[in-house]
Amino acid sequence: MDKIVVEHLNLRYSDGTESLRDLNLVIPANAITALMGPAGGGKSTFLRALNRLNDLADVVAQSGRVLIDGKDILEPEMDVIALRRKVGMVFSRPLPLPLTIYQNVSYGLEVAGERNREVLDKAVKLALDQAELWDEVHDRLSDPAEALSGGQKQRLCLARALALKPEVILLDEPTSALDPVATAKIESSLSELKKNYTIVIAPHNTQQTARVADWVAFFLQGEMIEFGPSKDIFTRPKDKRTEEYILGRYG
Amino acid sequence: MKSDKLITPRSSAYLVERIGFSTLAILSFLLAVPIIGVILYIIIHGAPAISWEFLSRMPSDGMKAGGILPAIVGTFYLTLGTAIFSVPLGIAAAIYLSEYAPENRLTRIIRIAIINLAGIPSIVYGLFGLGLFVIFLKLGTSILAASLTLSIMTLPVIITTTEESLRAVPYAFRVVSTSLGTSRWQTIRRVVLPQAVPGILTGVILGLERAAGETAPILFTGATFFLPQLPNSPLDATMALPYHLFVISTQVPGMPIQIQYGTVLVLLVFVLGMNIVATVIRSRARARRQW
Ligand SMILES: Nc1ncnc2c1ncn2[C@@H]1O[C@H](COP(=O)(O)OP(=O)(O)O)[C@@H](O)[C@H]1O
Ligand SMILES: [Mg+2]
């Protein structure tokens, strides 16, 4: 099923950078779509377009359409708060809010007006379970989140996004600050989560792309050069630039 | 452990370093000496004057005897009044400037104006308060007019320190909170403000402390020479510690020196006490800070 349809998306920042140029792609549901490419290619910018987080950045021009479940989320009258609950995000820096472990996970729900303790407790447990963190923290939920290790923090960040019951999860180089063991845990959560979620990730290297992706989009300097099933991209890329990138010729 | 070849206790570099550090230490100590000296001097001379009577009685015998209760109460009222006006307004203005105001020329002008307000001599505030609150708004010489005048003087301090504390909260927290489906105000209230509270409190206390110790702004707007009873409405004039001190030191012949030192000591404890509270809050918050 096509969860996200991007049509002729263009985006320019106030410093004049043309960061996305005529982007067209279809992101399928229940799969991991990886955005691959050298730094500065527009992967983060594209991810932030999907939950309108670019509203916080200095964007001067944006055109085209981004349809999620058939609805254009770039429309000015779009309810961005509802959108961001539906499209969760994990950033490259594992940054818990300055709250307890529990409060980090319940934060989004509480702000949304959920007051019922039982509902919150359940949601927190479920989200921490999904992020494979529950077993490690269940007996110290009221400790400051700051006390967690880097890998645990990042799983907490995943959990706090999951607590909102999103349909889409965006991950921008989620393991770039983590060691291999912590990285493997995040990757294993993702492969479990993709059964029920649409996942879009900018992996922090090509190996990770190869490990996790079902679909791969190759981004180069604001353009999407190629899109296809991961197998095809890695075994017989259509574009020479994709091949060169995979072989490590640049970036 | 191997000894450091570059700086051994015998090398000349070591000697120079020792001399340098010692000089700096002595200089810093010399700086503290006059401050400690003044405080000690006031305590030694003022302490004998302090008694329950002194703190709880009205002045008598043309202020040459009795207590300073109305001045203490007056300074308390003025500080409270100043807090009521300047704290909410100052914090709101700082939140607007730091979180909402677009970075344009108008905002820059507002910021420059606030910074410059902080540099205006306090007597100018006094005259401004006289013109605006006492005469134009017909509040008369009153606690209300004096509090409003002190508020205007205090606002720049509160606004700048609050804005600084808000800006010190990492931007990434705002992005994270926004990504979890929260409005800008929800993000400010739940994430930014709690992190900024210690800094804001420090600024508020330092601002109010200055207000409590000022004479010039209340000179024409609310302070009075002598009152036979305590003020019982915000529209009454009031006695106040700094002004009382000015009066008994310069305007009353034959004033017992003890009463003057006693008054100074009370004012000092009031202001220094606020300062210590601010310092404690700040250092506690530093220790707890997570970023
Ligand atoms: N907030 C921003 N303001 C201005 N320019 C930006 C901003 N974010 C990214 N850019 C620019 O957009 C281009 C794409 O960046 P980005 O989306 O971060 O790429 P990637 O994630 O693939 O490294 C770069 O040239 C970058 O300098
Ligand atoms: Mg990036």
Side-chain angles (χ1 to χ4, degrees):
Chain A
M1 200 193 84
D2 301 342
K3 185 74 178 174
I4 305 173
V5 179
V6 180
E7 294 172 349
H8 304 295
L9 180 62
N10 289 279
L11 188 149
R12 186 151 46 87
Y13 287 109
S14 63
D15 58 4
T17 331
E18 192 87 43
S19 293
L20 298 176
R21 276 199 297 265
D22 195 33
L23 227 59
N24 293 282
L25 83 155
V26 171
I27 295 175
N30 306 328
I32 298 181
T33 301
L35 314 177
M36 177 180 80
K43 304 180 296 291
S44 300
T45 303
F46 176 67
L47 286 173
R48 289 195 302 262
L50 301 182
N51 65 351
R52 289 275 299 268
L53 214 53
N54 278 331
D55 288 10
L56 299 185
D58 258 344
V59 175
V60 285
Q62 181 171 277
S63 63
R65 301 205 301 167
V66 174
L67 306 166
I68 297 186
D69 294 331
K71 196 166 172 339
D72 186 3
I73 60 149
L74 297 186
E75 297 266 311
E77 54 271 21
M78 178 73 204
D79 177 355
V80 289
I81 290 186
L83 171 70
R84 288 174 191 143
R85 292 200 186 117
K86 180 170 160 171
V87 183
M89 189 159 196
V90 177
F91 302 87
S92 57
R93 180 168 157 221
L95 183 71
L97 294 169
L99 303 167
T100 66
I101 295 171
Y102 183 100
Q103 288 168 332
N104 259 279
V105 185
S106 68
Y107 178 80
L109 291 170
E110 286 192 52
V111 174
E114 183 57 66
R115 293 273 174 277
N116 188 322
R117 262 296 128 196
E118 262 174 60
V119 175
L120 289 172
D121 286 352
K122 252 196 207 147
V124 168
K125 177 174 190 315
L126 178 66
L128 286 170
D129 253 339
Q130 285 178 299
E132 297 179 20
L133 188 57
W134 175 256
D135 293 340
E136 289 161 59
V137 301
H138 68 93
D139 54 352
R140 48 178 179 138
L141 291 174
S142 44
D143 284 4
E146 199 45 43
L148 298 173
S149 73
Q152 290 172 325
K153 277 183 195 162
Q154 194 60 308
R155 278 178 283 151
L156 183 69
C157 293
L158 178 59
R160 82 182 163 199
L162 289 170
L164 288 165
K165 306 225 173 351
E167 294 169 22
V168 180
I169 303 168
L170 312 173
L171 303 107
D172 194 352
E173 307 192 13
T175 59
S176 60
L178 305 188
D179 61 61
V181 176
T183 300
K185 281 188 178 150
I186 296 271
E187 288 176 7
S188 99
S189 305
L190 293 182
S191 55
E192 190 58 36
L193 288 168
K194 75 175 179 188
K195 292 172 191 160
N196 299 308
Y197 297 86
T198 304
I199 296 176
V200 189
I201 180 173
H204 81 273
N205 58 32
T206 316
Q207 290 86 334
Q208 186 170 49
T209 308
R211 283 196 302 271
V212 302
D214 299 307
W215 297 83
V216 175
F218 178 56
F219 277 62
L220 188 62
Q221 289 169 7
E223 279 179 89
M224 198 186 69
I225 306 296
E226 191 170 346
F227 181 82
S230 182
K231 270 200 281 357
D232 295 0
I233 296 278
F234 280 101
T235 52
R236 43 191 153 86
K238 293 195 196 76
D239 197 289
K240 198 154 168 38
R241 288 168 290 181
T242 315
E243 188 180 348
E244 285 177 345
Y245 179 76
I246 291 168
L247 294 176
R249 296 263 164 79
Y250 52 105
Chain B
M1 228 169 70
K2 262 191 277 179
S3 76
D4 194 325
K5 288 234 172 76
L6 288 175
I7 302 182
T8 58
R10 260 181 238 151
S11 79
S12 65
Y14 179 79
L15 196 67
V16 170
E17 190 180 74
R18 278 289 291 265
I19 293 172
F21 281 149
S22 312
T23 316
L24 283 176
I26 291 168
L27 281 178
S28 334
F29 179 71
L30 284 181
L31 267 176
V33 164
I35 302 170
I36 295 169
V38 167
I39 293 177
L40 278 180
Y41 190 80
I42 291 173
I43 292 176
I44 290 167
H45 286 83
I50 306 291
S51 64
W52 178 241
E53 241 203 339
F54 185 68
L55 298 175
S56 66
R57 283 276 202 69
M58 305 295 288
S60 57
D61 193 14
M63 297 197 277
K64 287 190 200 122
I68 55 166
L69 178 67
I72 297 176
V73 170
T75 287
F76 177 74
Y77 282 162
L78 288 174
T79 311
L80 188 70
T82 307
I84 288 172
F85 294 116
S86 63
V87 173
L89 196 61
I91 292 178
I95 290 176
Y96 172 75
L97 281 175
S98 144
E99 309 291 325
Y100 290 95
E103 278 306 323
N104 57 23
R105 180 174 298 189
L106 181 66
T107 313
R108 271 199 299 281
I109 291 175
I110 295 177
R111 278 218 180 84
I112 291 170
I114 292 171
I115 290 168
N116 281 307
L117 269 179
I120 291 178
S122 52
I123 186 72
V124 178
Y125 284 104
L127 290 169
F128 174 78
L130 173 68
L132 179 62
F133 301 121
V134 177
I135 298 171
F136 184 72
L137 293 176
K138 299 195 173 63
L139 297 176
T141 349
S142 60
I143 294 179
L144 186 60
S147 299
L148 287 167
T149 309
L150 287 171
S151 298
I152 294 188
M153 190 189 78
T154 310
L155 268 175
V157 182
I158 296 185
I159 294 175
T160 20
T161 46
T162 302
E163 207 191 334
E164 265 165 35
S165 328
L166 293 173
R167 281 176 192 275
V169 179
Y171 189 74
F173 283 145
R174 295 167 172 85
V175 177
V176 162
S177 175
T178 305
S179 81
L180 293 166
T182 61
S183 70
R184 195 184 279 208
W185 171 243
Q186 287 166 333
T187 296
I188 293 170
R189 196 169 66 79
R190 292 188 175 249
V191 177
V192 182
L193 272 179
Q195 292 297 298
V197 158
I200 295 174
L201 269 183
T202 311
V204 163
I205 294 176
L206 292 179
L208 292 179
E209 172 195 319
R210 186 180 162 207
E214 277 286 355
T215 313
I218 60 174
L219 197 56
F220 321 116
T221 56
T224 183
F225 194 80
F226 175 72
L227 271 185
Q229 79 278 341
L230 295 179
N232 49 26
S233 124
L235 290 172
D236 286 351
T238 182
M239 291 174 70
L241 285 170
Y243 183 61
H244 184 65
L245 191 60
F246 166 74
V247 170
I248 60 178
S249 322
T250 60
Q251 314 289 305
V252 184
M255 191 73 204
I257 195 94
Q258 265 215 351
I259 293 194
Q260 297 177 28
Y261 278 118
T263 310
V264 175
L265 184 56
V266 172
L267 181 59
L268 195 74
V269 167
F270 198 91
V271 171
L272 223 54
M274 288 170 81
N275 207 322
I276 289 169
V277 170
T279 311
V280 169
I281 291 174
R282 196 166 28 190
S283 56
R284 284 242 182 113
R286 285 245 174 87
R288 248 186 307 123
R289 174 162 304 179
Q290 301 177 355
W291 31 272

